[in-house]
Amino acid sequence: MSRPRLRHCSCFTTPMSRIRLRRRLSSSTSRPTPSWSPRAAFAAATERVRDGTLSPQDAHHLFDELFQQATPVPDRPLNGFLAALTRATPSEACRDGPALALSLFNRVYREEAGMRVAPPTIFTYGVLMNCCCRMRRPELGLAFFGRLLRTGLKADKIVANTVLKCLCCAKRADDAVKVLLHTMTELGCVPDAFSYAIVLKSLCDDNRSQQALYLLRMMAKEEGVCSPDVVTYNTVIHGFFKEGKIGKACNLFHEMTKQGFVPNVVTYNSVINALCKARAMDNAELFLRQMVDNGVQPNKVTYTSMIHGYSTLGQWKEATKLFREMTGSGLIPDIVTWNSFIDSLCKHGRSKEAAENFHSMSAKGNKPDIISYTTLLHGYANEGSFPDMMSLFKSMEGDGIVANCQFFNILIDAYAKRGMMDEAMLIFTEMPGQGVNPNVVTYSTVIASLCRMGRLADAMNKFSEMIGTGVQPNTVVYHSLVQGLCTHGDLVKAKELISEMMNKGIPRPNIAFFSSIVHSLCKEGRVMDAHHIFDLVKDIGERSDIIMFNTLIDGYCLVGEMGKAVSVLDVMISAGIEPDIFTYNTLVNGYFKSGRIDDGLNLFREMSHKKIKPTTVTYNIILDGLFRAGRTVAAKKMLHELIGCGTTVSLSTYNIILKGLCRNNCTDEAIVMFQKLHTINVKFNITTLNTMINSMYTVQRREEAKDLFAAISDSGLVPNASTYGIMIRNLLKEGSVEEADSMFLSMERSGCAPCSRLLNDTIRTLLEKGEIVKAGNYMSKVDGKSISLEASTCSLLWSLFSGKGKYREQIQLLPVKYQFFGGVS
């Protein structure tokens, strides 16, 4: 259908040409059909428009019939018909009512229609201008307004408001403000609340809510001519929230209530939704309660916002409470609310409950959609519930839901993350058969997983396949490949891919990306490989930063290569990067761990010359190193220096000192220090108490050790597995077997799982003491998974129960699965 043009309208013809045309038409027109009534014809057509059954062909046929009749068409039936088309929602019969209305208007007011149709009225022009706004052609609507003025018709308030809509639709809000404040008055039209609402909304849509607020205040000063109402306040409040200016929005809300305006459900929903998006759930809850107290009933939008807000924060219990409150109040959740609630449960590992809600949706009038399926699938995937995932996938077809690419991506990612690449690749190959082609996310998931597994050849094949199918690799794909190639040593290919990225206009990986790879390699002890990455960074023109240098230095220190660590330091300084406190701490720690105490101390002294002040961490490294090296006197001297220089002494420092003193046979001194620290109210942690309890047992101060253990709860602490282990081992050493048994039971009741080492120590000690039955009880706790018998325990069992073993006759007292030790010769 061709676009309507103003040049087709009758105003562009001369009076003489119209007279000649009327004569020609009158001589050629057939006699009027008596049965044809313009009012009835247009009334019937208007009803069909409202029903969505009138097609453009039907409309043009109606006008063909109109042109063959002599009976004139009054303006009201025609205007009503055009107005109905303007407001018509798209349907199978007619996709674009406003465009059809303009096309028919052009036909009516071309020369061929003659005098069969009454001239356009102000209502006609209003309808046409509305058509233009709905068609997103506001400039054409303004042209119609200009034509209206030229005809001598007087604009009314409705037309003026439509002009405002056209200007706002054209993003000419400033011109709309001028028309509102000046031109409308000149045209004899007094702006009403609707006029202001149009302009206020436009300003807010353009993120100019502050200007909208000025206009709102100006409106309030009009002394009753046109006062603000709840709608205008809602518009500006929502505008501020949309711009993220929560404070200004809330202030305007309070100003509104002080002015005597009662917030409605739209006001509260706007406030609550914005606060939920800002994760300010406490404030959202306050507004919700205020809303109820003021007699405004929350609706679906209110509850959906709150449920989504709590879900985003991971507060599924609160989301569940609101969901039940919503349904209990008689509100039926819509699909958006259901999906938000299911998402909340899935994010917290409660996919079973999510599934129950999923299956109850249909019974309550909401059929799950693709988002519902995708959300629940994601929940199953996070929990590794593969049978449930596949069951859900199969059930989609029965509900008439077609799996999309995102659905397949979740399936593939779930299997790939757990190293089940065969299953992931099977789903990948089945996608085209399901009518879904892999997208960049699909390929990215597969390639990243193959790279993590070291299957670089397969990853590169997928990369080539991806390009061959027309899917362009993005930054994530290139980063996965570069990282995989760097990690597995193929730096030549990594460099080629980086060049390819840059040629395609994709930014190359930054220094943080390479620092991450260097860090991972260093932690694995692959420092030489990490150094090669360091060299690659230089080759591609990137400049290493202090983090990269410190990471590589730390890597060499971890493997004891102090010479190479210092070489990297020299390169760092020559590159113009000054070492920081982390650099020195790393090197000092490396020297101490390598046993080069004096080198570490010399570097420590060098720090003051470089004007780098040692931190608590620095002193902790040195104190720990000196105590481990047995240089207790030097450690005590360093402690005095630490206190004297004003550096903070942390609890970690005290723990290092107490443990160091105990390790170097200065336990009594450690106990005295511990007591002094307790006197000055130093807050200890369980590590401190574990050290002191063990030390007290070491110097035979058993009662003090037991008293300290008994006082743990009084200090607000909870014994951990190490605490119980210390107590059990020492009780067994002193022969308090029953007391050790009781302590073990207390440990299990508190939720502390015994480690394999403790259980083996306990079994060996009991066997050595001849407590065969008790040893057997502890052996029954060995599950072969998290806890297993150590070689030394097995060796002791063989020596005690096999051949001429001391306890061979008591082999039956052991658990059945361990009685085979009696048959070993």
Side-chain angles (χ1 to χ4, degrees):
M1 186 183 296
S2 62
R3 292 184 181 273
R5 297 184 182 179
L6 289 177
R7 63 185 176 85
H8 290 159
C9 297
S10 60
C11 64
F12 291 99
T13 60
T14 65
M16 287 303 295
S17 66
R18 284 200 293 271
I19 292 169
R20 285 195 297 271
L21 181 62
R22 281 200 298 272
R23 288 173 179 166
R24 188 168 64 250
L25 287 170
S26 62
S27 63
S28 61
T29 303
S30 61
R31 295 180 67 182
T33 306
S35 61
W36 194 82
S37 166
R39 290 181 185 276
F42 277 100
T46 302
E47 282 304 312
R48 289 187 63 190
V49 170
R50 289 169 183 157
D51 293 340
T53 59
L54 185 81
S55 68
Q57 291 79 6
D58 294 335
H60 282 286
H61 179 71
L62 171 66
F63 278 71
D64 289 340
E65 195 171 352
L66 162 68
F67 295 147
Q68 294 174 10
Q69 307 300 323
T71 307
V73 178
D75 61 283
R76 291 189 67 179
L78 177 62
N79 288 343
F81 175 68
L82 294 176
L85 281 174
T86 301
R87 292 189 294 268
T89 54
S91 65
E92 287 296 324
C94 181
R95 299 289 184 186
D96 193 344
L100 178 58
L102 280 179
S103 175
L104 294 172
F105 173 81
N106 278 339
R107 284 196 64 184
V108 168
Y109 291 102
R110 283 201 295 259
E111 293 86 343
E112 64 185 279
M115 299 299 292
R116 293 187 182 88
V117 179
T121 65
I122 190 155
F123 184 84
T124 315
Y125 284 110
V127 169
L128 296 170
M129 291 163 67
N130 261 320
C131 276
C132 296
C133 285
R134 290 173 183 268
M135 292 171 62
R136 299 294 173 190
R137 297 186 62 191
E139 298 298 342
L140 183 57
L142 294 172
F144 273 119
F145 178 64
R147 177 176 167 182
L148 179 154
L149 295 176
R150 289 193 298 274
T151 62
L153 292 171
K154 185 179 179 183
D156 61 7
K157 190 183 297 183
I158 296 173
V159 168
N161 285 344
T162 310
V163 170
L164 292 176
K165 286 168 64 177
C166 286
L167 288 169
C168 292
C169 185
K171 301 296 181 186
R172 292 168 59 182
D174 290 333
D175 290 334
V177 171
K178 291 176 185 176
V179 171
L180 176 71
L181 300 179
H182 306 293
T183 311
M184 283 185 72
T185 306
E186 294 168 4
L187 293 171
C189 305
V190 179
D192 58 9
F194 186 62
S195 314
Y196 277 94
I198 293 168
V199 181
L200 288 171
K201 185 178 184 305
S202 178
L203 289 168
C204 292
D205 288 345
D206 289 344
N207 294 327
R208 296 164 65 185
S209 299
Q210 188 60 49
Q211 286 178 258
L213 179 59
Y214 293 148
L215 187 60
L216 181 67
R217 297 239 165 93
M218 190 181 298
M219 182 183 182
K221 291 177 182 177
E222 290 293 323
E223 299 180 353
V225 176
C226 179
S227 300
D229 58 11
V230 174
V231 174
T232 49
Y233 271 106
N234 286 351
T235 301
V236 183
I237 288 169
H238 180 72
F240 277 127
F241 276 128
K242 194 180 68 162
E243 293 176 34
K245 297 173 181 176
I246 295 174
K248 287 188 175 183
C250 290
N251 289 341
L252 187 57
F253 174 87
H254 294 305
E255 177 187 312
M256 169 186 171
T257 56
K258 286 179 182 177
Q259 295 293 330
F261 294 100
V262 180
N264 59 17
V265 69
V266 176
T267 322
Y268 281 111
N269 283 348
S270 182
V271 175
I272 289 169
N273 184 52
L275 291 171
C276 290
K277 285 180 178 177
R279 301 191 172 192
M281 294 309 298
D282 289 342
N283 290 332
E285 194 75 46
L286 287 174
F287 274 99
L288 177 62
R289 297 307 153 209
Q290 183 191 99
M291 178 182 187
V292 175
D293 293 342
N294 289 339
V296 181
Q297 289 303 311
N299 60 13
K300 289 181 185 179
V301 176
T302 322
Y303 281 108
T304 301
S305 295
M306 293 293 296
I307 291 167
H308 183 71
Y310 278 124
S311 302
T312 304
L313 285 176
Q315 299 177 17
W316 66 269
K317 288 183 180 178
E318 288 79 2
T320 303
K321 176 187 169 186
L322 278 166
F323 188 82
R324 287 173 180 164
E325 182 181 312
M326 176 184 182
T327 53
S329 66
L331 289 172
I332 300 172
D334 60 15
I335 192 68
V336 176
T337 314
W338 278 108
N339 288 344
S340 184
F341 182 54
I342 290 170
D343 182 54
S344 173
L345 293 170
C346 288
K347 281 179 177 174
H348 294 87
R350 308 185 73 85
S351 58
K352 185 178 179 181
E353 288 179 50
E356 290 171 2
N357 281 280
F358 176 87
H359 293 304
S360 69
M361 285 172 68
S362 295
K364 294 182 180 179
N366 282 286
K367 185 180 178 182
D369 60 7
I370 186 63
I371 296 174
S372 315
Y373 275 96
T374 303
T375 303
L376 184 56
L377 180 73
H378 209 281
Y380 285 145
N382 287 337
E383 295 176 28
S385 303
F386 296 111
D388 291 326
M389 286 168 56
M390 298 315 296
S391 174
L392 184 68
F393 180 41
K394 291 173 184 175
S395 72
M396 289 181 72
E397 188 176 352
D399 278 348
I401 305 293
V402 179
N404 58 15
C405 197
Q406 184 186 4
F407 196 91
F408 280 105
N409 289 346
I410 294 170
L411 284 172
I412 292 169
D413 185 58
Y415 283 108
K417 276 183 177 175
R418 287 164 177 80
M420 302 165 69
M421 283 307 296
D422 290 341
E423 290 84 352
M425 293 310 299
L426 180 63
I427 296 169
F428 180 89
T429 54
E430 287 181 354
M431 285 179 70
Q434 299 283 336
V436 181
N437 291 320
N439 63 10
V440 67
V441 176
T442 323
Y443 279 105
S444 175
T445 302
V446 170
I447 289 170
S449 298
L450 290 171
C451 287
R452 280 196 301 271
M453 297 174 71
R455 294 169 58 178
L456 294 176
D458 291 335
M460 290 304 298
N461 286 339
K462 282 294 163 198
F463 179 68
S464 300
E465 176 189 310
M466 176 184 189
I467 296 170
T469 58
V471 180
Q472 289 304 310
N474 60 9
T475 304
V476 177
V477 174
Y478 277 108
H479 278 202
S480 296
L481 287 168
V482 171
Q483 184 171 0
L485 293 166
C486 287
T487 303
H488 294 90
D490 193 349
L491 300 188
V492 174
K493 187 62 181 175
K495 193 173 178 180
E496 287 176 8
L497 282 178
I498 293 169
S499 298
E500 185 178 312
M501 286 177 71
M502 295 169 67
N503 291 337
K504 289 184 176 181
I506 301 173
R508 69 187 176 198
N510 59 21
I511 195 65
F513 171 84
F514 289 108
S515 292
S516 158
I517 299 173
V518 169
H519 177 76
S520 298
L521 291 172
C522 287
K523 288 299 179 187
E524 294 174 17
R526 297 168 56 191
V527 190
M528 286 307 298
D529 290 335
H531 204 133
H532 291 150
I533 305 298
F534 177 82
D535 294 335
L536 173 66
V537 169
K538 184 179 178 182
D539 291 344
I540 65 172
E542 195 70 60
R543 187 173 184 269
S544 295
D545 60 7
I546 193 166
I547 296 173
M548 172 76 87
F549 279 107
N550 284 342
T551 303
L552 191 56
I553 289 170
D554 186 45
Y556 278 120
C557 289
L558 286 172
V559 296
E561 295 274 2
M562 294 309 299
K564 291 182 179 178
V566 173
S567 297
V568 175
L569 175 66
D570 292 337
V571 173
M572 176 179 172
I573 295 169
S574 64
I577 300 174
E578 289 298 320
D580 60 6
I581 186 63
F582 183 85
T583 317
Y584 280 100
N585 286 348
T586 302
L587 287 165
V588 169
N589 189 47
Y591 277 128
F592 274 97
K593 291 282 172 62
S594 301
R596 296 170 61 177
I597 309 299
D598 291 331
D599 288 333
L601 290 172
N602 289 336
L603 188 61
F604 170 72
R605 299 301 173 201
E606 183 185 309
M607 289 174 66
S608 59
H609 300 303
K610 299 284 186 179
K611 296 183 179 180
I612 295 177
K613 185 179 179 181
T615 62
T616 304
V617 174
T618 317
Y619 281 105
N620 286 351
I621 290 168
I622 294 171
L623 287 168
D624 186 58
L626 289 171
F627 276 122
R628 287 181 184 277
R631 296 169 68 163
T632 310
V633 175
K636 292 177 183 178
K637 190 175 178 182
M638 187 62 68
L639 173 61
H640 290 301
E641 181 180 326
L642 163 61
I643 297 169
C645 71
T647 303
T648 302
V649 181
S650 67
L651 182 57
S652 298
T653 314
Y654 287 126
N655 285 343
I656 288 168
I657 295 164
L658 292 171
K659 193 169 185 178
L661 289 170
C662 295
R663 185 188 287 121
N664 288 280
N665 300 318
C666 301
T667 304
D668 291 333
E669 192 176 341
I671 294 172
V672 171
M673 176 181 264
F674 174 75
Q675 291 168 342
K676 285 182 178 178
L677 292 172
H678 185 267
T679 305
I680 61 174
N681 294 320
V682 172
K683 299 293 181 184
F684 301 116
N685 59 18
I686 196 64
T687 303
T688 321
L689 300 187
N690 288 349
T691 299
M692 298 315 301
I693 290 169
N694 195 47
S695 300
M696 288 172 179
Y697 269 115
T698 302
V699 294
Q700 309 301 311
R701 295 169 71 163
R702 297 188 184 92
E703 292 306 315
E704 289 180 66
K706 291 178 182 179
D707 290 343
L708 185 55
F709 175 81
I712 287 176
S713 58
D714 294 336
S715 60
L717 299 172
V718 178
N720 60 15
S722 297
T723 320
Y724 284 111
I726 291 166
M727 293 299 296
I728 291 166
R729 288 187 181 95
N730 282 291
L731 287 169
L732 287 172
K733 279 182 188 176
E734 66 181 33
S736 303
V737 177
E738 296 298 329
E739 203 172 340
D741 273 348
S742 177
M743 187 66 68
F744 199 94
L745 286 172
S746 297
M747 177 182 185
E748 290 183 317
R749 287 195 197 105
S750 70
C752 288
C755 64
S756 185
R757 183 177 176 186
L758 172 62
L759 209 56
N760 277 275
D761 286 348
T762 303
I763 292 167
R764 287 195 299 268
T765 303
L766 290 170
L767 289 172
E768 288 165 355
K769 290 181 179 293
E771 297 280 356
I772 309 303
V773 174
K774 288 187 180 295
N777 290 337
Y778 284 101
M779 288 171 71
S780 65
K781 298 178 185 294
V782 175
D783 57 11
K785 297 176 183 177
S786 59
I787 299 175
S788 57
L789 289 180
E790 295 173 356
S792 55
T793 308
C794 293
S795 178
L796 180 60
L797 285 164
W798 286 331
S799 65
L800 292 177
F801 294 98
S802 63
K804 297 180 180 180
K806 185 177 179 180
Y807 300 119
R808 177 174 174 76
E809 301 302 322
Q810 300 181 51
I811 188 69
Q812 299 298 323
L813 298 177
L814 295 180
V816 175
K817 65 179 179 179
Y818 296 113
Q819 291 179 12
F820 70 88
F821 282 107
V824 180
S825 59

